[in-house]
Amino acid sequence: MSLETLTLLSTSSIVGSGVALLVGWALIRRRRIPAHRNAMLTATGLAGLFLVFYVTRWSLHGSKPFEGTGGWRVLYLSILVPHVLFAMAVGPLAVYLIWLALKRRDFVRHRRLARWTLPIWLFVAASGWAV
C-alpha cells in the first residue's frame, strides 16, 4: 500500500474512533446502554484498525522526522510527548473498561474509571491527528 493510502486509512480510523467515543458518551448520558456499548466497541475497533494501519505504514515506509525548528519544534514535542504517554495508557484502560462492562462486574468502577479514560482517549485521538 502507498504511504498516502495508509496515512488516509490510519487518520480516518483514529478520527472515526474519536467520533464514536463522543457518540458513545452522548448515548450513555441518555441512558441508551445498548447503543452506548455498540458505539464504544466501534471506537475500540477503529482504534485497533488505526494501530494496524499505523504499524503497517511505519514498517513499510519508516518514520518521517519533524522538520520544523524553534517554536514549532517545541509545540510539536509538547503535543507528541503527552500523546505517546497517554496512548500507552489508554489501551490497557480501555480493555479493562470493556471487560468490566461486558462481564457486568462492577459498573460503579467502570463509570468512575471511564470519567478519566474518555478525556485521555479523546486527547490521544485528537493529538494523534495533529501529530
Side-chain angles (χ1 to χ4, degrees):
M1 266 188 206
S2 73
L3 175 63
E4 293 78 19
T5 300
L6 288 167
T7 300
L8 176 64
L9 289 171
S10 65
T11 301
S12 299
S13 297
I14 201 62
V15 169
S17 177
V19 169
L21 285 171
L22 291 172
V23 168
W25 176 76
L27 289 167
I28 200 62
R29 303 289 294 165
R30 291 173 179 81
R31 308 262 190 245
R32 295 185 53 205
I33 295 169
H36 163 75
R37 179 186 62 239
N38 292 339
M40 299 313 275
L41 290 174
T42 298
T44 304
L46 288 170
L49 276 176
F50 160 78
L51 188 57
V52 168
F53 293 134
Y54 179 82
V55 169
T56 301
R57 187 183 75 188
W58 178 81
S59 298
L60 294 174
H61 303 284
S63 59
K64 178 182 173 190
F66 183 74
E67 297 175 2
T69 59
W72 289 114
R73 185 169 187 78
V74 170
L75 177 62
Y76 174 75
L77 292 174
S78 70
I79 296 170
L80 179 64
V81 170
H83 167 78
V84 170
L85 295 174
F86 283 143
M88 292 183 330
V90 81
L93 287 169
V95 169
Y96 184 60
L97 283 170
I98 291 167
W99 180 79
L100 285 172
L102 293 180
K103 297 295 182 181
R104 302 183 190 280
R105 295 282 181 198
D106 186 350
F107 283 111
V108 172
R109 183 178 294 164
H110 172 86
R111 189 176 323 127
R112 189 176 331 124
L113 187 57
R115 287 185 178 143
W116 288 93
T117 304
L118 177 68
I120 292 169
W121 194 344
L122 287 170
F123 173 80
V124 169
S127 61
W129 176 78
V131 167

